[in-house]
Amino acid sequence: MSKDMNRKPKRHLRTGLKVLLVLAVLVGCTVISFNTYVDARLNRMRHSEAFAASEMMISDKAAKLPSHVINIALFGADHDAETDAASTERADAIKILSFNTLTRSVKIISVQRDTLVWIPDPVNDYSKWNHSYWWGGPKLSLQTLNMNLDLNITQYVTFSFEALEHLVDLVGGVDIYLTEAEISDMVWRRGTSLDYKGEGEYHLNGEQALSYCRIRYTDSDYVRMERQNNVMKAVMSSVRKMNPLDIPGVVSGIMPYIETNMKNSTMRQCAVMLLMSNYSRLPSFQVPEGGYESVAASISYGGYSPLYILNSYSDMITSLHAFIYGDDNYEPSSQAQEIERNIYTYFGLW
């Protein structure tokens, strides 16, 4: 065998390695450029300081929950986010987005805002869930969620209803099925302009979608929470149908209306999981699970009503952990059990 024939495989090997090296550099540069591009848009949001886990009222038991599940609180506050996204308004929408980084799955939890819960320092009193945001902003609201649900949430996203209206317009509207009762509420109670064609699917603009989300008296706040989920899913559906080159414009347009304490890297990770999920079939859950059947008493307290005391706060926690973590036998922490006992004792429901 000649020396030239021996050299040829080596030359091919060196050439192949050079090609792989160039490709690796190109891919690396593309990823870096993409992340820089996305970060530049994410930085248009209002970023607040991260909360230390030690100050989030996380029980010892909740601190040991599986780390591959990322729970993020989503607050919908009724104010002008361009003026002050973190102003202490009531969170009319309280949701938890649960991301499982192992299964790459996403779940939505809706929290009933009128449920009576314990709100920690500086309030140190009982009230409805959405008052925690009103009295202490995102930090107190996260502490209240953690204490009453045995969770370990440290991250949040706050958006105004104005932000939702803008987002729907930016994605070109959403397709929502409307019942006659919903149409009546939107048109007559809220004065929403709608091209009436009877019960069926409508393509809603931002103003119409917001009106749909706020319907409450037609049925109940529990159905209202489902309407909010319907709009979230419809927005994701509209985004998927868009030209990919138009999506950065949507991101840029909505960012000024959002506040978060999440890192950009975490937001990118969660956004990819959300967009790659089966948005039309995202598993959803309501807290409490049984709706009004879970309510033991409706009371007035502190000048507010209604406040709903539940039949079992422990059952609420166990069913939630079964939904998020698949743990059907979860036993609430001593902290959560103490809150439950104190509620029943204070309000005479033992």
Side-chain angles (χ1 to χ4, degrees):
M1 185 179 293
S2 67
K3 293 182 180 179
D4 288 340
M5 292 181 65
N6 285 330
R7 291 195 190 102
K8 187 177 290 186
K10 293 182 180 180
R11 284 201 299 269
H12 287 318
L13 179 60
R14 285 196 295 270
T15 302
L17 289 174
K18 289 178 181 178
V19 171
L20 288 175
L21 180 60
V22 171
L23 288 174
V25 171
L26 287 175
V27 170
C29 290
T30 301
V31 170
I32 292 171
S33 298
F34 175 77
N35 288 342
T36 302
Y37 177 78
V38 172
D39 284 346
R41 275 142 184 81
L42 292 178
N43 287 336
R44 296 190 66 195
M45 287 186 297
R46 290 178 172 84
H47 284 271
S48 61
E49 292 185 7
F51 297 135
S54 59
E55 58 183 353
M56 283 292 99
M57 304 297 183
I58 300 171
S59 68
D60 291 340
K61 190 167 187 178
K64 299 176 183 177
L65 291 171
S67 60
H68 65 268
V69 175
I70 303 173
N71 294 316
I72 299 168
L74 191 63
F75 301 121
D78 192 7
H79 66 274
D80 184 353
E82 280 197 315
T83 303
D84 180 11
S87 66
T88 48
E89 300 286 343
R90 291 179 180 85
D92 275 355
I94 304 173
K95 297 186 182 294
I96 300 168
L97 292 180
S98 186
F99 297 87
N100 189 313
T101 59
L102 292 183
T103 61
R104 311 295 291 177
S105 59
V106 186
K107 299 176 181 178
I108 303 176
I109 299 97
S110 300
V111 179
Q112 212 289 332
R113 62 181 188 172
D114 292 329
T115 302
L116 182 139
V117 292
W118 172 255
I119 302 179
D121 188 66
V123 177
N124 290 322
D125 200 358
Y126 303 101
S127 194
K128 57 177 62 181
W129 227 308
N130 65 335
H131 283 173
S132 61
Y133 193 96
W134 184 26
W135 292 332
K139 183 176 182 179
L140 184 60
S141 199
L142 290 184
Q143 292 171 331
T144 303
L145 286 169
N146 288 335
M147 289 191 73
N148 290 274
L149 292 176
D150 251 5
L151 293 177
N152 57 357
I153 310 174
T154 61
Q155 301 175 97
Y156 76 93
V157 175
T158 292
F159 65 94
S160 69
F161 282 109
E162 182 185 4
L164 176 63
E165 186 174 339
H166 277 272
L167 177 58
V168 171
D169 286 335
L170 284 168
V171 300
V174 292
D175 295 323
I176 299 290
Y177 189 95
L178 300 178
T179 65
E180 287 285 2
E182 290 168 339
I183 293 170
S184 178
D185 189 291
M186 291 171 64
V187 174
W188 299 110
R189 178 184 290 272
R190 303 180 186 279
T192 307
S193 175
L194 195 69
D195 185 13
Y196 178 77
K197 58 182 181 181
E199 180 172 323
E201 187 173 275
Y202 285 75
H203 189 72
L204 305 183
N205 61 28
E207 179 188 2
Q208 294 163 341
L210 178 57
S211 177
Y212 168 77
C213 281
R214 305 189 78 166
I215 296 172
R216 182 181 183 185
Y217 297 104
T218 296
D219 28 57
S220 71
D221 195 44
Y222 292 97
V223 182
R224 179 176 182 261
M225 292 189 293
E226 280 303 309
R227 291 191 186 95
Q228 295 164 356
N229 288 350
N230 291 341
V231 171
M232 289 174 60
K233 294 175 183 178
V235 166
M236 286 187 283
S237 176
S238 294
V239 170
R240 276 192 168 182
K241 296 175 184 176
M242 293 178 64
N243 184 326
L245 297 177
D246 294 332
I247 294 178
V250 173
V251 176
S252 295
I254 198 63
M255 288 300 103
Y257 297 91
I258 297 175
E259 176 187 299
T260 185
N261 68 344
M262 295 172 63
K263 294 180 179 179
N264 286 352
S265 58
T266 305
M267 291 203 73
R268 290 197 303 268
Q269 178 187 20
C270 292
V272 170
M273 290 174 60
L274 195 57
L275 289 174
M276 293 187 67
S277 63
N278 187 345
Y279 55 86
S280 63
R281 296 184 180 179
L282 282 182
S284 58
F285 188 83
Q286 292 187 349
V287 176
E289 183 180 17
Y292 289 119
E293 293 182 1
S294 301
V295 176
S298 176
I299 66 169
S300 296
Y301 179 73
Y304 303 102
S305 66
L307 288 86
Y308 301 126
I309 300 178
L310 304 183
N311 290 316
S312 174
Y313 286 83
S314 291
D315 287 351
M316 172 183 69
I317 294 170
T318 299
S319 60
L320 174 63
H321 281 252
F323 176 75
I324 295 178
Y325 300 100
D327 186 355
D328 295 323
N329 299 311
Y330 183 84
E331 183 178 344
S333 67
S334 57
Q335 173 179 271
Q337 291 185 45
E338 182 181 6
I339 291 174
E340 180 179 42
R341 286 194 301 270
N342 290 342
I343 288 175
Y344 294 148
T345 300
Y346 189 87
F347 293 97
L349 293 180
W350 262 126

